[in-house]
Amino acid sequence: METTIRIATPNDAEALLEIYAPYVRNTAITFEYDVPSIDEFRQRICRTLEKYPYLIAEQDGAPVGYAYAGAFNERTAADWAVETSLYVKRDCKKQGIGKELYLALERTLALQHITNLNACIACPEADDEYLTRNSIQFHEHLGYRFVGEFYQCGYKFSRWYNMVWMEKHLGEHPENPLPVRPFKEIRTELAACCKIT
């Protein structure tokens, strides 16, 4: 089945929340305890789009996954680094959707002059029914490298979980980097170069 990638809008909040909610309720992949309201989720999309991409994968016109970037650190010196996030509909995994979304996100962030991608990943001491090391393996497959681990820093479902940081460099780190371009400045370029609408 063909997958298309497009830019999210606030009107997608309900459909994307349907993808995200099972991760909150049934997994430790997110450390969030309570499913956010549609209004809160809509605000999250709006806040992200002020500066960063928020992309949706669709099949037959229905969202099957989404990925977005956010600030890695609020200080100006860290403008060229972002934190990435990805969620795929639970019954659509193992179809390459996550990879397509992440590669589209990378192309988009490169247009913004972002150099560093950082992923914060929940990690079990041993795989259990709420969390496996699958996300770590997925990021390794896409070229991320392990940079650090925080131990027993997340408590969910009466268990303690670790947190791993992984990173990927999109390009060189020049002496005088180009300033980061806000997402709104590159939106028109995405359709031409990346087939993202």
Side-chain angles (χ1 to χ4, degrees):
M1 188 177 298
E2 184 181 359
T3 302
T4 58
I5 308 291
R6 68 170 176 84
I7 301 166
T9 74
N11 293 333
D12 293 307
E14 186 171 1
L16 299 190
L17 188 56
E18 286 181 14
I19 295 172
Y20 180 62
Y23 286 94
V24 177
R25 294 190 188 106
N26 306 319
T27 81
I29 289 171
T30 171
F31 283 171
E32 196 158 17
Y33 275 24
D34 301 313
V35 176
S37 67
I38 293 173
D39 186 55
E40 165 61 21
F41 208 82
R42 185 178 296 114
Q43 290 176 37
R44 293 181 187 184
I45 294 171
C46 291
R47 283 194 299 269
T48 297
L49 288 170
E50 288 173 7
K51 187 172 181 180
Y52 299 108
Y54 202 124
L55 305 179
I56 296 177
E58 288 186 328
Q59 292 180 346
D60 289 334
V64 291
Y66 64 95
Y68 61 93
F72 172 66
N73 184 296
E74 297 294 339
R75 303 297 186 205
T76 304
D79 277 358
W80 293 267
V82 298
E83 182 179 347
T84 57
S85 296
L86 168 72
Y87 292 93
V88 174
K89 193 174 177 183
R90 302 288 285 171
D91 59 359
C92 293
K93 291 192 162 191
K94 308 295 184 186
Q95 297 180 23
I97 295 166
K99 181 178 179 179
E100 283 191 59
L101 273 167
Y102 249 27
L103 293 178
L105 192 67
E106 286 182 17
R107 292 191 297 271
T108 305
L109 292 166
L111 285 175
Q112 292 186 260
H113 305 147
I114 297 296
T115 58
N116 289 40
L117 309 181
N118 301 278
C120 180
I121 303 166
C123 174
E125 291 287 344
D127 288 3
D128 63 29
E129 66 270 35
Y130 303 114
L131 187 64
T132 69
R133 298 181 68 87
N134 180 260
S135 184
I136 294 171
Q137 295 158 357
F138 169 80
H139 283 81
E140 285 174 342
H141 181 70
L142 290 183
Y144 282 71
R145 67 184 181 94
F146 178 89
V147 291
E149 186 165 1
F150 298 91
Y151 295 92
Q152 297 181 321
C153 60
Y155 182 77
K156 191 171 181 179
F157 303 123
S158 301
R159 300 177 191 193
W160 288 100
Y161 291 102
N162 299 352
M163 182 184 295
V164 165
W165 278 99
M166 300 181 75
E167 76 173 0
K168 181 177 182 177
H169 291 172
L170 286 181
E172 300 298 318
H173 291 76
E175 185 176 341
N176 296 299
L178 294 169
V180 173
R181 302 167 70 193
F183 180 65
K184 63 184 177 183
E185 288 185 12
I186 65 150
R187 287 182 70 132
T188 55
E189 297 173 42
L190 287 177
C193 78
C194 307
K195 297 182 179 177
I196 300 171
T197 57

